[in-house]
Amino acid sequence: MDLITLSIVVLFIAVVAILVRYFLFSNPKKASAHDAEIKALNHILAGEKKQALAILKEIARMNTSNLGAYLQVGDLYRQIGKPEKAVKVHLDVLERQGISLDYTLMAHERLAMDFEALEQFPQATQHAEALLKVNKKNLWALQALHRFAVKSGSWSNAIKAFQKENAAGGTADPLLPAIYKTEEGIQAKAAGNLSDAVHLLKQAIKLSNKCAAPYYQLGKIRQEEGNYKHAIDFYTTFVELDPTAGSIVFAEIEKMYFELGQFEQVEQFYQRLHKKQPENLEVVIGLANYFERKG
C-alpha cells in the first residue's frame, strides 16, 4: 500500500470515527432531553406536578438557555403553592439580556399570575400593564386588571377595567359596574359618609336600573333613617328585580307598614307581587303568613 492510499484510508477511518461519535454521543443527548420533556409533560397531564417539577429543574440546569423550561418551572412552583419561588424564577427570565419580545411578554404574564397568587395586586397590575404597552387590546391582561381591581376592592378601577375589557371583546356581565358602584356606596356608608353613600348608590342605579343591589342598600338606609315610605319603595323594587332574594325584606316591609299604621297595605303588597311573580313560592308563603296572623 503506497503512502497516498494509506493516507486516504486513515482519513476515511477518522471521518467514520467522528460520525460514529456524533451519532452515538451527540444525538442521544438531544433525544434524552426531548424524552425528559415528554416525561415531564406526561406528569403534568397526570396531575403529578412535583415529579414534573423535578424533571424540568434538571432540564433547566443542564441547559440554562432553555427559557421555556424555566417558565414551566416557575409555573409549577406557583401551582404547588410556592408563588414566591415562582417569582424568583420568572424574574430571572425577565432580567436576562437579549431575550426575545415573546419571552419578555410570557415572563410578564407569569409574574402577574405569581403576584396575584401572593395577593400583591399592585405588583401584579404592573406586569399586566407591561403587556398592554405592547398590545392595548390584550384581552388576557385586561381581564387580569379587572380581576385584580375586584380582589383588592378598588371599585372605581374595577369599573374602568370592565369597560376596557368589554371594549376589547370581553363578555363580562353588564350588571357588574352597578354592583361595583354599590360596593363603593357600602364602603362610604361604613366610613360614616351617608350622603356620599346615597349618591354612589343612586349612581349605581343610573349605571343599570336592572341591578337589585343598590335598591336594597338604599332601602336599608331609608329604613334606618325612619323614612319608611321611601324604604318600602326601594325594597319593593328590589323584590321585583330579584325574586329569589326578595323574601329577606318581607318582614321589614310588614314591620314598616305597621309603624305607618297601614298594615292593611301588606296584603296589597303581596297581591301585587303575586300577580307579577305567580311562580314565586316565597311570595305565596308571605301572603299565607299574613292571612294567618289576621286569623
Side-chain angles (χ1 to χ4, degrees):
M1 181 181 294
D2 57 33
L3 185 60
I4 294 176
T5 302
L6 180 62
S7 299
I8 292 172
V9 170
V10 170
L11 180 60
F12 175 78
I13 292 172
V15 170
V16 170
I18 291 170
L19 290 174
V20 168
R21 182 179 179 81
Y22 176 81
F23 283 108
L24 288 181
F25 295 97
S26 299
N27 277 4
K29 288 182 181 180
K30 293 180 181 178
S32 177
H34 178 70
D35 289 345
E37 289 176 354
I38 295 297
K39 189 175 180 180
L41 177 60
N42 287 334
H43 280 304
I44 292 172
L45 293 174
E48 299 165 348
K49 295 176 181 178
K50 290 184 178 180
Q51 293 91 323
L53 178 60
I55 294 170
L56 287 165
K57 283 172 66 176
E58 182 62 18
I59 292 172
R61 188 186 68 80
M62 295 295 292
N63 181 6
T64 57
S65 65
N66 189 338
L67 298 183
Y70 273 89
L71 291 173
Q72 287 182 306
V73 166
D75 288 343
L76 287 168
Y77 270 131
R78 182 182 63 253
Q79 291 166 18
I80 65 173
K82 297 181 178 180
E84 67 287 343
K85 288 192 174 183
V87 168
K88 290 180 181 179
V89 173
H90 290 144
L91 277 176
D92 175 70
V93 173
L94 185 63
E95 293 170 355
R96 293 197 187 192
Q97 296 294 322
I99 67 170
S100 69
L101 178 60
D102 285 343
Y103 275 114
T104 299
L105 296 177
M106 284 189 280
H108 278 303
E109 182 177 313
R110 284 350 193 265
L111 283 162
M113 291 188 282
D114 298 340
F115 282 114
E116 180 183 13
L118 288 166
E119 296 186 353
Q120 295 178 11
F121 299 113
Q123 295 92 323
T125 296
Q126 289 176 3
H127 288 287
E129 287 175 342
L131 297 172
L132 293 172
K133 288 179 181 178
V134 177
N135 177 8
K136 292 181 179 180
K137 293 187 178 182
N138 183 316
L139 190 56
W140 183 91
L142 292 170
Q143 289 172 333
L145 289 177
H146 185 181
R147 191 168 63 250
F148 301 158
V150 171
K151 287 184 175 181
S152 59
S154 302
W155 303 114
S156 58
N157 288 335
I159 292 172
K160 293 175 185 176
F162 164 89
Q163 292 168 340
K164 290 180 180 179
E165 177 187 334
N166 276 16
T171 56
D173 189 335
L175 291 182
L176 288 177
I179 293 172
Y180 298 154
K181 189 61 69 174
T182 300
E183 292 289 347
E184 271 193 277
I186 293 170
Q187 284 182 342
K189 182 186 175 186
N193 302 320
L194 202 59
S195 60
D196 289 345
V198 171
H199 177 68
L200 289 165
L201 291 167
K202 288 182 176 179
Q203 281 188 329
I205 292 172
K206 287 182 180 179
L207 287 170
S208 175
N209 60 6
K210 303 297 183 185
C211 182
Y215 291 100
Y216 174 72
Q217 295 298 331
L218 283 167
K220 283 180 65 176
I221 290 172
R222 294 309 183 212
Q223 183 181 9
E224 290 164 2
E225 292 174 339
N227 188 343
Y228 296 147
K229 184 180 183 302
H230 285 154
I232 290 170
D233 289 341
F234 284 124
Y235 279 154
T236 300
T237 305
F238 166 69
V239 174
E240 291 172 350
L241 289 171
D242 191 354
T244 60
S247 61
I248 65 175
V249 298
F250 287 167
E252 300 304 317
I253 289 172
E254 290 184 17
K255 188 189 304 180
M256 286 187 286
Y257 272 130
F258 182 81
E259 292 291 334
L260 290 168
Q262 300 174 357
F263 196 62
E264 72 283 353
Q265 293 291 325
V266 173
E267 180 181 349
Q268 295 179 26
F269 164 75
Y270 282 124
Q271 294 287 13
R272 285 196 307 271
L273 203 56
H274 182 53
K275 286 181 181 180
K276 293 181 178 180
Q277 303 170 8
E279 297 180 1
N280 190 335
L281 186 60
E282 296 289 345
V283 175
V284 176
I285 292 171
L287 185 57
N289 289 336
Y290 167 76
F291 283 139
E292 184 181 20
R293 285 191 295 275
K294 285 187 69 176

